[in-house]
């Protein structure tokens, strides 16, 4: 199979028929073998009924319905697990991503040898203040922190080799950072393609300004995880050891000073150095224990389901 199109969605019933027709037209005109996997992330409208109707009309349409809303990352994770094609294309269901981009994205993966190609919505039809400006700041911070030179990390239109999606773990709200996850997993050939962005035709956006705050927090998390996830003791243990040594040396100095130098001076507990030493030793011990517990959790870690699936179609 050439292409799996993975489409996470939430309350997009109005756009699904039009989106399906558009994708099917592109696939058939380019003679691609394909599957379309819709992941209904707990929609409250008739999105799932529409997906069922489409699947009855076309066996290439497959569906996964979550029991409730778990988030875009979990929906993508489920879609990646179900995808079977050589190339996986992800896109949003709101008709803002253009299926006409699929053939060129496919060629960049298959002929140019990219592991991942991310869309870049260079010209956008969103609010400048509410989305465009924060998005530029967010992308600049992501480039600087991750080392992945992309202009648009959050574009939903992306293409992947099958081996990439099978070897990355998209969780929490990390869908914004799939290129970074891919880089950390060892996939180095990551490219970008300017894609058309279209104004939303139906409904309204599911993301508010809070996504940028959450995005920056996730960026800090992924930076830390990429460096210390497999060795938490190297981070916490080092800080803890340094703090403990500082506190211990201060305590030793105070003890020697009181016993042999200024034996009749003020009490140790009346000196500020005593509290600095005590605080440093306590913090050092806590950091060291945090690293130790991190190592234990990492060793005992086992996989578990992060979402519950209510129904599947053709899967």
């Amino acid at each position: 199979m050439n292409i799996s199109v993975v489409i996470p969605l939430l309350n997009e019933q109005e756009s699904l028929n039009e989106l399906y027709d558009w994708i099917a037209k592109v696939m058939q005109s380019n003679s691609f073998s394909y599957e379309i996997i819709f992941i209904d992330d707990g929609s409250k409208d008739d999105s799932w009924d529409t997906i069922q109707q489409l699947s009855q009309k076309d066996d290439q349409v497959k569906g996964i319905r979550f029991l409730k809303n778990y988030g875009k990352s979990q929906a993508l994770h489920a879609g990646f697990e179900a995808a079977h094609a050589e190339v996986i294309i992800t896109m949003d269901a709101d008709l803002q991503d253009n299926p006409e981009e699929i053939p060129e994205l496919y060629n960049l993966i298959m002929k140019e040898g990219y592991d991942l190609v991310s869309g870049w919505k260079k010209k956008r039809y969103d609010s400048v203040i509410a989305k465009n400006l924060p998005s530029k700041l967010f992308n600049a911070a992501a480039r600087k922190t991750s080392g992945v030179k992309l202009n648009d990390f959050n574009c939903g239109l992306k293409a992947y080799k099958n081996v990439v999606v099978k070897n990355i773990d998209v969780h929490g709200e990390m869908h914004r950072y799939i290129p970074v996850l891919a880089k950390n997993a060892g996939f180095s050939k990551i490219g970008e393609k300017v894609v058309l962005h279209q104004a939303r035709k139906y409904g309204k956006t599911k993301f508010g300004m809070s996504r940028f705050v959450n995005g920056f927090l996730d960026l800090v998390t992924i930076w830390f995880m990429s460096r210390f996830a497999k060795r938490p003791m190297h981070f916490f243990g080092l800080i803890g050891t340094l703090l403990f040594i500082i506190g211990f040396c201060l305590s030793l100095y105070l003890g020697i000073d009181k016993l042999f130098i200024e034996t009749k001076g003020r009490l140790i507990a009346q000196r500020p150095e005593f509290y600095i030493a005590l605080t440093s030793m306590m913090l050092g011990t806590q950091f060291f224990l945090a690293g130790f517990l991190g190592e234990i959790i990492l060793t005992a870690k086992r996989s578990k389901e992060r979402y519950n699936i209510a129904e599947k179609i053709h899967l």
Side-chain angles (χ1 to χ4, degrees):
M1 185 183 295
N2 299 131
I3 297 175
S4 294
V5 183
V6 174
I7 306 173
L9 62 105
L10 175 65
N11 299 329
E12 298 287 0
Q13 184 264 333
E14 291 176 305
S15 65
L16 292 181
N17 280 301
E18 187 173 339
L19 178 61
Y20 162 76
D21 290 338
W22 199 355
I23 294 172
K25 179 183 176 182
V26 170
M27 294 298 181
Q28 291 161 12
S29 64
N30 288 273
S31 301
F32 289 134
S33 57
Y34 68 96
E35 62 182 358
I36 303 173
I37 305 173
F38 291 103
I39 304 94
D40 183 355
D41 187 21
S43 295
K44 300 298 183 184
D45 62 4
D46 294 328
S47 293
W48 184 247
D49 292 337
T50 301
I51 294 168
Q52 288 179 313
Q53 291 166 13
L54 290 172
S55 70
Q56 291 168 4
K57 181 171 67 173
D58 184 352
D59 288 342
Q60 308 306 319
V61 175
K62 303 174 182 181
I64 298 172
R65 182 170 72 89
F66 287 174
L67 280 172
K68 64 175 185 177
N69 177 231
Y70 287 97
K72 187 174 182 178
S73 292
Q74 319 310 321
L76 286 173
H77 182 273
F80 290 161
E81 287 284 305
H84 295 102
E86 298 172 295
V87 174
I88 286 80
I89 304 286
T90 59
M91 61 192 310
D92 294 334
D94 54 13
L95 296 175
Q96 290 190 282
D97 294 332
N98 191 331
E100 301 288 347
E101 306 283 356
I102 291 175
E104 191 169 344
L105 288 170
Y106 176 81
N107 289 332
L108 286 169
I109 298 292
M110 297 302 295
K111 295 181 180 179
E112 301 294 330
Y114 284 96
D115 297 314
L116 184 159
V117 179
S118 180
W120 174 16
K121 296 175 181 176
K122 196 171 183 178
K123 182 178 180 181
R124 302 182 64 100
Y125 294 93
D126 297 319
S127 166
V128 174
I129 301 299
K131 297 190 78 171
N132 286 7
L133 183 59
S135 181
K136 289 181 184 297
L137 295 173
F138 164 79
N139 285 309
R143 280 194 301 274
K144 185 72 173 176
T145 305
S146 69
V148 179
K149 304 304 180 183
L150 295 179
N151 290 285
D152 191 355
F153 282 81
N154 204 35
C155 178
L157 186 58
K158 290 182 172 68
Y160 313 80
K161 281 183 180 176
N162 183 287
V163 67
V164 174
V165 303
K166 300 301 183 184
N167 284 280
I168 57 174
D169 182 15
V170 188
H171 60 278
E173 293 189 24
M174 294 299 180
H175 58 273
R176 303 177 182 90
Y177 301 109
I178 291 180
V180 183
L181 295 175
K183 179 192 173 187
N184 292 342
F187 300 101
S188 58
K189 195 163 184 183
I190 297 173
E192 189 170 49
K193 178 188 180 301
V194 176
V195 297
L196 293 175
H197 179 233
Q198 302 177 140
R200 174 178 273 274
K201 192 171 182 179
Y202 305 105
K204 58 183 180 179
T205 181
K206 311 300 187 299
F207 302 99
M209 285 294 291
S210 62
R211 73 170 180 161
F212 295 107
V213 177
N214 295 336
F216 281 113
L217 295 176
D218 289 336
L219 185 59
V220 174
T221 300
I222 203 168
W223 173 84
F224 180 84
M225 294 295 287
S226 67
R227 286 160 176 77
F228 302 106
K230 295 182 179 179
R231 40 191 166 82
M233 182 58 85
H234 288 197
F235 179 77
F236 292 106
L238 177 61
I239 295 176
T241 301
L242 289 174
L243 286 172
F244 189 87
I245 290 173
I246 291 169
F248 180 78
C249 290
L250 272 175
S251 300
L252 187 62
Y253 160 74
L254 290 171
I256 293 172
D257 185 58
K258 183 63 178 175
L259 290 173
F260 302 109
I261 301 175
E262 294 188 24
T263 58
K264 294 184 179 179
R266 54 183 172 167
L267 296 174
I268 290 179
Q270 294 177 332
R271 301 177 66 173
E273 294 94 331
F274 169 76
Y275 295 100
I276 295 174
L278 184 63
T279 301
S280 294
M281 292 178 72
M282 290 175 62
L283 286 174
T285 302
Q286 289 177 338
F287 269 100
F288 190 88
L289 285 174
F292 182 67
L293 290 173
E295 293 285 349
I296 293 175
I297 292 169
L298 194 63
T299 302
K301 181 182 177 182
R302 61 179 183 273
S303 62
K304 60 181 181 179
E305 291 297 327
R306 297 190 295 267
Y307 44 81
N308 295 316
I309 295 173
E311 294 180 64
K312 291 184 178 182
I313 300 174
H314 297 158
L315 291 170

